Amino acid sequence: MFNDSSSRIVADLRAWIATAAPGAKLPSTRELVAQHGVSPVTVQKALRTLASQGMIESRPGIGTFVRAVRVARPNDYGWQTAALGSPVGRTPQLAAALRTAPNDAIALHSGYPDQELLPERLVRTAFSRAARSAAAMSRPPVAGLPELQAWFASELGAAAPVGVALPAHNDAIVIPGSQSGLSSVFRALVGAGQPLLIESPTYWGAMLAANQAGIQVVPVPSGSGGPDPDELDRAFERTGARAFYAQPNFANPTGARWPSEVADRVLEIVRSHGAFLIEDDWAHDFGITAEPVPVAARDDTGHVVYLRSLTKSVSPAVRIAAIIARGPARERILADTQAESMYVSGLLQSVALDVVTQPAWRNHLRTLRHQLAARRDLLVDALHNHAPRAHVTAVPEGGLNLWLRLPDATDLARLVRDCDADGVIVAAGDEWFPAEPTGPYLRLNYSGPNPGAFPDGARVIGRALARQS
């Protein structure tokens, strides 16, 4: 009877609404209860049904009314053209690495590890503890929680050779993710209109940060063994640049790791030009067959500004990173970060600190090393067997990506579309070049979901290449 009574009220009110003017007030709940001989609960259920169908709307404290018909019309935002004016620089479209893939797609494009590679239990436990602590309600210091600053500084100091002064705890500045840190460092150390030397290819987010800061990007060619030191020296001489951005360990997208002699030579060149090396150690936790050794660990003269992120290895929900810089450069960067975000959530800092100081964190990283190795090798083998025309430039010693060189005649845009149509999402290599690409490339991520589908993904890439031969 409950459902029958509710349905009867809905039908009666529909008929009444059909003849009522938009905005007409419905009888009160008390009146409907008396009219239909039912309980208030039954009347409310009927009204909820009509509201969900868009026929009526409730105004608390006033009553329920027939909903006015809203005619859809296109919005005219033409006035904004004059208000905004011409953009200073063209902002790139959303990077392929940030694209959300359908659930049934084989996702080889992402820039983030799959959830099963993250320390989920540690993160959930840390959030529970942090929510019960003072961090949930208090404002942290501008430069970060002292304990977290100390952890970042101590980790870098542990890699320092004998004779190099260790970074002080106060040299570390906690930031809300490395992308924010890049923006602050570029603004503080380079400045609008000035040149910034940058590896080519390199991380697309660094190019975006430089573009937004109005900085002139100067590419320096970099291969599987890092940048050519002589080219770097000439670029400093030619441009008068005072900073070089690079990823010496497991670079994104190539996976390259600088040999020790290249790192020493680059540091020597940077010092000779009175410049900064902005070292982005994004993949510090993703070593497979090699341990990352930051160039910053070899420098105590303030020439290396070091960025270390925890976002990808702890959780995308914990956007915590740090900048380690010495001397006046540190104060200038701190001033920029303070103006940008004032401070970083104390709750997230507490979570990050909790995770990385647990004994289980080191165990997790050891397990992660084996998981990444298995995924990397599975994708390399799948490409060798099913897409032999896609050349893996080098099997990386760490990181999350494979860098594929395709045949010269490849129509890269068409290849990406064909793979997409067959349910495989890949990232075109063009996004990682600060100037014209030197050839057609793909960046594939082996840390994404469903590694069992890697052979199927490689088959699709192979077929798409074969169609162009």
Side-chain angles (χ1 to χ4, degrees):
M1 289 300 293
F2 179 86
N3 289 334
D4 289 345
S5 298
S6 176
S7 299
R8 177 167 50 83
I9 298 171
V10 168
D12 289 350
L13 286 176
R14 269 209 198 96
W16 183 86
I17 291 169
T19 62
K25 186 175 182 179
L26 272 67
S28 67
T29 298
R30 181 178 298 177
E31 291 171 330
L32 292 172
V33 165
Q35 178 182 344
H36 294 280
V38 295
S39 70
V41 173
T42 303
V43 169
Q44 289 300 321
K45 181 179 180 182
L47 294 176
R48 284 197 300 272
T49 299
L50 292 169
S52 68
Q53 296 170 353
M55 301 185 71
I56 62 174
E57 57 187 2
S58 178
R59 301 174 192 170
I62 301 176
T64 305
F65 300 83
V66 176
R67 189 171 186 180
V69 177
R70 291 173 172 81
V71 180
R73 60 178 176 80
N75 292 313
D76 181 8
Y77 300 118
W79 66 270
Q80 292 189 1
T81 300
L84 292 172
S86 297
V88 175
R90 290 288 175 184
T91 300
Q93 295 180 345
L94 181 69
L98 298 181
R99 177 182 171 187
T100 300
N103 291 335
D104 58 347
I106 300 174
L108 298 176
H109 69 298
S110 176
Y112 287 83
D114 187 40
Q115 184 173 332
E116 70 177 29
L117 298 177
L118 302 177
E120 183 174 354
R121 182 181 60 81
L122 286 177
V123 172
R124 291 186 182 278
T125 302
F127 265 109
S128 296
R129 276 197 283 259
R132 297 192 299 269
S133 72
M137 300 301 294
S138 60
R139 180 178 67 83
V142 172
L145 296 179
E147 300 87 352
L148 187 56
Q149 289 179 283
W151 183 86
F152 277 115
S154 297
E155 183 194 55
L156 179 60
V162 175
V164 174
L166 304 183
H169 297 173
N170 285 340
D171 291 334
I173 303 169
V174 180
I175 52 176
S178 60
Q179 187 64 32
S180 169
L182 286 175
S183 296
S184 286
V185 171
F186 290 170
R187 285 193 299 264
L189 302 186
V190 182
Q194 299 302 309
L196 169 69
L197 306 188
I198 192 167
E199 288 182 294
S200 178
T202 193
Y203 170 47
W204 62 266
M207 292 184 282
L208 174 61
N211 177 278
Q212 290 181 323
I215 288 170
Q216 174 194 352
V217 169
V218 179
V220 176
S222 189
S224 58
D228 181 335
D230 292 333
E231 288 286 353
L232 177 64
D233 194 25
R234 283 192 288 271
F236 271 119
E237 288 284 359
R238 186 178 70 254
T239 65
R242 287 295 175 262
F244 172 44
Y245 167 80
Q247 296 181 334
N249 286 290
F250 319 133
N252 179 5
T254 64
R257 177 172 174 263
W258 296 2
S260 179
E261 58 273 17
V262 171
D264 287 339
R265 180 73 178 116
V266 168
L267 187 53
E268 177 187 335
I269 291 169
V270 167
R271 287 171 173 166
S272 69
H273 288 280
F276 294 98
L277 169 62
I278 301 170
E279 179 180 8
D280 185 354
D281 196 11
W282 75 279
H284 188 89
D285 296 320
F286 300 134
I288 297 177
T289 57
E291 294 290 342
V293 180
V295 179
R298 311 178 190 202
D299 176 64
D300 56 9
T301 61
H303 282 281
V304 183
V305 174
Y306 178 72
L307 284 88
R308 162 76 160 103
S309 175
L310 293 172
T311 301
K312 284 185 170 65
S313 54
V314 172
S315 168
V318 184
R319 289 195 58 79
I320 293 294
I323 300 167
I324 297 180
R326 309 194 198 200
R330 188 259 187 194
E331 303 310 313
R332 188 170 293 190
I333 293 168
L334 178 60
D336 189 278
T337 60
Q338 183 178 8
E340 179 75 12
S341 57
M342 297 187 71
Y343 58 86
V344 181
S345 164
L347 186 71
L348 294 184
Q349 291 190 64
S350 294
V351 169
L353 179 64
D354 191 321
V355 170
V356 298
T357 53
Q358 293 295 324
W361 170 245
R362 306 309 306 177
N363 295 334
H364 165 74
L365 292 181
R366 283 190 287 270
T367 301
L368 178 62
R369 175 187 294 257
H370 297 299
Q371 292 173 314
L372 289 176
R375 285 164 169 262
R376 178 200 62 184
D377 295 345
L378 177 61
L379 185 54
V380 169
D381 290 343
L383 291 166
H384 176 76
N385 293 329
H386 304 298
R389 301 182 69 219
H391 173 65
V392 178
T393 58
V395 177
E397 298 175 291
L400 307 177
N401 309 305
L402 295 182
W403 187 236
L404 271 60
R405 178 64 158 89
L406 306 180
D408 287 340
T410 302
D411 183 337
L412 189 57
R414 175 186 163 194
L415 179 82
V416 172
R417 289 195 303 269
D418 288 350
C419 290
D420 202 333
D422 286 339
V424 178
I425 314 300
V426 296
D430 292 0
E431 294 181 1
W432 282 268
F433 285 93
E436 291 79 6
T438 57
Y441 288 88
L442 287 181
R443 194 206 71 167
L444 304 184
N445 185 313
Y446 50 78
S447 71
N450 192 15
F454 286 176
D456 292 334
R459 288 189 188 94
V460 168
I461 295 171
R463 287 197 300 266
L465 284 171
R467 285 195 289 269
Q468 296 193 28
S469 61

